[in-house]
Amino acid sequence: MSKFIYLFNLLFKIILIPVYFILIAISPLVHVVFIQISTEKFGHFIEDTFLQHITVKKYFKFKGFFNIKILYGKRYVSNKELLNLWRQIYFFTNKFWFLENLRKVFKYFDREEEFFLTARHNAPYTYILKNEKVPYKFPKKFNKAGEDLLEKLEIPKKSNWICVASRSNTFDIQELKKTNKDGITIEKYISNNQFRNFNLNKIEVAINKFLEKDYFVIDMSYENESSIKIKNKKFINFYRNKYSTELGDIYLLTMSKMYFGADSGVNNFHRILNKPQVVMSTAELTSYLLGWFFNKSLLVPKLIYSKQDKIFTLNDMKKNDLYYKPPNFKLNFSKLKYRENTQDEIENAAIEILYFLENGHFKLDSEDQENIKKLRMFIKSM
């Protein structure tokens, strides 16, 4: 940082000190709380905002007679229709730089936690979302937009569909161009995220299972690089390239029967709505992912190996900080080796989740149930 920028930021913080004292002075009457959210990435926007809402609702102690809750994020908003849904409950501003400097003033006076909240989604916090419902209501245009989209996709009304998605290197490159504030190189960013990337071809065996059961299957991938060729009218490939709209994306995801695919963010509506999903081909399984895989969902992880070819257990991942945690959620698997999911694992996951859709429960023997208890205890210990 240049000396000029440093001095400018310092001067601006000094200018903000009167704002600090005003907000402190009025807080017994009007308590203003600023809630940081991640608007620039669709998946984070879906889940983190909901997590913040429940955190405020259940745990935050307001001190004023009146309380004003203001969401704030960056200028780039990945889905403006989702933002409009949250505006039913909260004020929103994109004055991110201004409020981050104000946050630092509050931090200097050791009052930050009373007036600022940061988006977070690591394992212990995901428990608070269980059985919670989204607070917003879908507008009247929601169903109309959905029906129009289904007509374009040639999906008859009252049909059932499954959303699938991959996560590609091209997606990483596009995301980095939009959100890169730390000057990270494309090569390093792709290397850091390779542990969860794959092309749609990898889950073709699962897609065919769903089609055999007469489901429509919609590819919700960003920047799909696959060469998958399924000759079935019920498989809608490259949806985002041809038909995607902001409201349409929300409709297809929230109204689908299930999600199957990558940890790409588009599956986060299934998380917050507690709808069935199968997340596969990811090495990051110790934190927020596992928090959701107790009821209606499956996780099909990659195995991680050390340089000495030792398989990493959950405890190993915990000891080596290989899980997302606040405040920056940074994670790096690039120096480790991992085994990709086999076709048998993918096919079996598809069979298991289809069984759940048809019967409302998984096939669990006593050993499975005991392992689930152990897993819950481990996550709670984190």
Side-chain angles (χ1 to χ4, degrees):
M1 182 186 294
S2 72
K3 188 174 181 180
F4 172 78
I5 294 175
Y6 172 79
L7 291 173
F8 178 81
N9 286 336
L10 180 60
L11 177 61
F12 189 73
K13 291 182 183 71
I14 293 171
I15 294 171
L16 286 175
I17 289 175
V19 179
Y20 164 81
F21 283 112
I22 290 170
L23 290 172
I24 292 290
I26 67 171
S27 61
L29 180 62
V30 180
H31 188 184
V32 182
V33 177
F34 302 98
I35 306 164
Q36 182 191 337
I37 58 173
S38 307
T39 56
E40 68 271 25
K41 293 185 178 181
F42 189 41
H44 287 270
F45 192 9
I46 296 167
E47 184 179 26
D48 292 350
T49 313
F50 184 52
L51 179 57
Q52 287 292 66
H53 167 75
I54 302 301
T55 303
V56 170
K57 173 184 167 186
K58 297 178 77 169
Y59 298 102
F60 191 81
K61 293 182 179 179
F62 288 96
K63 55 199 292 188
F65 187 76
F66 299 102
N67 303 306
I68 298 177
K69 295 168 284 188
I70 301 176
L71 300 177
Y72 74 98
K74 297 181 180 177
R75 288 190 178 275
Y76 179 75
V77 177
S78 55
N79 190 300
K80 294 181 178 65
E81 293 292 346
L82 179 57
L83 178 58
N84 288 337
L85 293 177
W86 281 110
R87 276 179 162 152
Q88 296 173 15
I89 301 103
Y90 295 95
F91 296 104
F92 173 79
T93 178
N94 60 8
K95 307 303 181 188
F96 185 85
W97 182 78
F98 173 89
L99 286 172
E100 279 299 285
N101 277 284
L102 183 61
R103 173 202 285 275
K104 290 171 184 175
V105 174
F106 274 83
K107 186 175 183 179
Y108 178 81
F109 288 104
D110 200 26
R111 302 293 293 271
E112 178 187 8
E113 292 186 359
E114 299 173 51
F115 292 85
F116 283 85
L117 286 175
T118 305
R120 55 190 114 173
H121 60 286
N122 64 324
Y125 294 94
T126 56
Y127 282 100
I128 71 171
L129 303 189
K130 190 175 180 180
N131 300 323
E132 292 287 347
K133 298 188 181 302
V134 294
Y136 47 74
K137 298 184 183 298
F138 292 111
K140 290 181 180 179
K141 64 177 181 178
F142 178 72
N143 287 328
K144 178 65 169 60
E147 290 170 3
D148 291 344
L149 179 58
L150 292 180
E151 188 174 341
K152 278 186 184 179
L153 298 175
E154 298 183 5
I155 298 177
K157 290 181 180 180
K158 299 184 179 180
S159 296
N160 292 319
W161 62 88
I162 291 171
C163 293
V164 299
S166 60
R167 193 181 189 283
S168 70
N169 290 344
T170 305
F171 166 73
D172 279 334
I173 293 169
Q174 297 302 324
E175 282 297 295
L176 192 64
K177 286 178 179 177
K178 287 186 292 189
T179 63
N180 188 12
K181 64 177 180 179
D182 300 320
I184 301 172
T185 65
I186 288 173
E187 291 76 15
K188 183 176 181 181
Y189 192 80
I190 289 176
S191 176
N192 288 350
N193 284 278
Q194 199 61 47
F195 70 89
R196 55 179 174 159
N197 287 359
F198 64 89
N199 287 333
L200 206 64
N201 309 59
K202 187 170 184 176
I203 61 171
E204 184 172 351
V205 62
I207 293 171
N208 283 321
K209 286 287 180 186
F210 304 146
L211 294 170
E212 287 171 11
K213 291 291 185 177
D214 214 28
Y215 286 100
F216 283 84
V217 179
I218 304 173
D219 165 30
M220 301 292 291
S221 308
Y222 290 96
E223 305 295 341
N224 183 358
E225 297 174 345
S226 73
S227 56
I228 192 168
K229 293 179 181 178
I230 296 177
K231 295 182 179 179
N232 188 319
K233 290 183 178 180
K234 290 195 171 185
F235 175 56
I236 299 162
N237 202 4
F238 302 109
Y239 158 77
R240 290 194 176 279
N241 297 30
K242 300 176 182 178
Y243 309 102
S244 179
T245 65
E246 291 187 347
L247 200 57
D249 293 354
I250 296 173
Y251 181 87
L252 290 179
L253 291 166
T254 57
M255 303 302 288
S256 65
K257 294 293 286 185
M258 184 189 74
Y259 171 85
F260 192 104
D263 173 28
S264 64
V266 295
N267 55 311
N268 282 357
F269 267 121
H270 293 77
R271 280 200 190 116
I272 70 172
L273 297 173
N274 199 21
K275 295 172 75 78
Q277 62 170 311
V278 177
V279 171
M280 53 157 292
S281 198
T282 180
E284 202 297 295
L285 65 156
T286 312
S287 62
Y288 75 105
L289 285 177
L290 281 178
W292 291 95
F293 292 93
F294 301 141
N295 298 319
K296 300 179 179 179
S297 301
L298 295 173
L299 177 64
V300 188
K302 295 176 179 177
L303 288 179
I304 303 299
Y305 296 85
S306 68
K307 290 181 179 179
Q308 293 75 34
D309 286 332
K310 176 183 179 294
I311 295 177
F312 268 49
T313 64
L314 291 177
N315 274 315
D316 291 329
M317 290 186 178
K318 181 180 177 181
K319 290 174 186 175
N320 288 274
D321 287 340
L322 290 173
Y323 61 97
Y324 291 119
K325 55 189 179 301
N328 55 28
F329 309 107
K330 289 182 180 176
L331 180 73
N332 189 351
F333 282 95
S334 61
K335 294 181 180 179
L336 298 171
K337 297 184 290 185
Y338 41 82
R339 178 184 67 76
E340 297 289 345
N341 295 132
T342 66
Q343 288 296 293
D344 283 345
E345 288 173 341
I346 295 166
E347 184 176 13
N348 287 335
I351 291 169
E352 284 191 53
I353 201 68
L354 283 169
Y355 179 90
F356 177 88
L357 290 179
E358 292 170 1
N359 298 279
H361 60 86
F362 290 109
K363 285 183 178 178
L364 297 175
D365 57 26
S366 57
E367 183 180 358
D368 293 328
Q369 292 171 352
E370 184 62 30
N371 285 335
I372 287 174
K373 287 180 183 177
K374 290 178 181 178
L375 182 58
R376 284 177 175 158
M377 290 175 65
F378 174 80
I379 295 294
K380 287 180 179 179
S381 73
M382 290 175 62

